[in-house]
Amino acid sequence: MGARLRICHLYPELLGLYGDGGNLLCLVSRARWRGLEVDVEEASLGDTLPSGRDLYLLGGGQDRQQRAVFADALRTKAGLAEEAARGAVVFAVCAGYQLLGEFYVTAAGEELPGLGLLHATTLAGSPRLIGDVYAEASTPWGGGPLVGFENHGGRTRLGPELSPLARVIAGAGNNGEDGTEGALAGTVFGTYLHGPVLPKNPWLADLLLSLALGRGEPVPLDPLPDREEASAATRARALALARRGRKAPAAPSRPTRRP
């Protein structure tokens, strides 16, 4: 394709729980397999947010790391919001997802202000929501099956105008009550799914790449075989359903549209 993709990995040494760094490896690999050039830049505590990047990536972390990131990230609030408004993709997992919301209230009752890119709030709860998840995702550009592993104490509630990324079929999702998983606003994506999530859901990885390359307008991507990825997703889906005493249907649904 001859294009160049510019990725900024935010707080990689603090927000990389449960293999979330694999999301970066997945995006870089799938871009390079298509002949794209990829530049990756890291930004952490005290760093200036790099501007003009196509995709900003955040992972999950434990409470101590999360508190440090919340305090530091307020410096970048306006900058990241401007990048998203220009069509850059922001993809965040677990603690990173909570950071994109309005605020997070810890188990000790401390309120940590978020970046406000997503109109969602999170309160720490008990017990932790742990296990394999199978959901059906829907976006303005198509959707598909979404699988991964969740491990979070936070209960996230979406504002009335905020769309979930997916509807849960097996698992807890945002809060274990309303059947939602993750959130989507423009080109800002949040999810609780680890795994890492993108290698298990190549259609979602390609959607992020497509939107990032088109700055909010999806561009066509050359297809990839994805046989191994499809097999991993099928196993994860069956495991999620089995944990809840349900038998998996014979064949998984496929994405309704690929970028």
Side-chain angles (χ1 to χ4, degrees):
M1 294 179 64
R4 181 180 294 274
L5 178 70
R6 298 162 297 176
I7 299 176
C8 178
H9 193 187
L10 295 170
Y11 307 103
E13 79 288 9
L14 297 173
L15 300 183
L17 203 61
Y18 305 125
D20 291 335
N23 291 324
L24 174 64
L25 296 177
C26 175
L27 292 168
V28 170
S29 296
R30 295 184 72 82
R32 288 178 174 165
W33 290 339
R34 294 178 165 103
L36 280 76
E37 296 185 34
V38 183
D39 295 330
V40 177
E41 184 172 358
E42 296 181 352
S44 194
L45 299 178
D47 293 339
T48 300
L49 179 75
S51 62
R53 303 307 184 263
D54 305 308
L55 195 153
Y56 294 84
L57 191 66
L58 297 109
Q62 297 177 332
D63 288 348
R64 183 174 63 179
Q65 291 88 349
Q66 187 174 4
R67 185 176 287 101
V69 168
F70 265 73
D72 183 79
L74 291 178
R75 301 179 300 103
T76 68
K77 180 175 181 177
L80 195 59
E82 289 174 4
E83 294 298 328
R86 295 190 187 108
V89 171
V90 181
F91 182 74
V93 176
C94 204
Y97 170 29
Q98 295 169 355
L99 173 66
L100 297 185
E102 301 289 347
F103 60 81
Y104 168 64
V105 178
T106 70
E110 179 184 5
E111 182 175 313
L112 306 178
L115 300 183
L117 273 69
L118 296 172
H119 295 299
T121 59
T122 303
L123 278 66
S126 182
R128 294 186 69 82
L129 305 176
I130 304 174
D132 296 280
V133 176
Y134 165 46
E136 286 288 340
S138 177
T139 81
W141 311 280
L146 187 67
V147 296
F149 183 83
E150 63 184 347
N151 186 345
H152 57 100
R155 270 62 169 173
T156 296
R157 303 284 179 180
L158 308 185
E161 297 182 359
L162 181 60
S163 299
L165 176 61
R167 295 288 176 179
V168 174
I169 295 175
N174 283 329
N175 50 60
E177 296 178 7
D178 63 14
T180 64
E181 204 299 304
L184 173 62
T187 54
V188 179
F189 294 74
T191 180
Y192 270 116
L193 299 189
H194 300 283
V197 64
L198 294 183
K200 290 184 177 180
N201 300 277
W203 74 267
L204 179 58
D206 283 353
L207 176 59
L208 300 181
L209 291 173
S210 175
L211 290 170
L213 290 167
R215 275 282 166 158
E217 295 293 333
V219 300
L221 297 177
D222 296 332
L224 296 173
D226 291 338
R227 288 184 294 273
E228 292 82 1
E229 292 85 347
S231 177
T234 298
R235 290 194 299 271
R237 177 171 172 269
L239 184 58
L241 291 171
R243 285 177 63 92
R244 284 142 184 89
R246 297 174 57 182
K247 183 178 178 181
S253 59
R254 297 186 62 83
T256 55
R257 178 181 173 190
R258 291 184 70 98

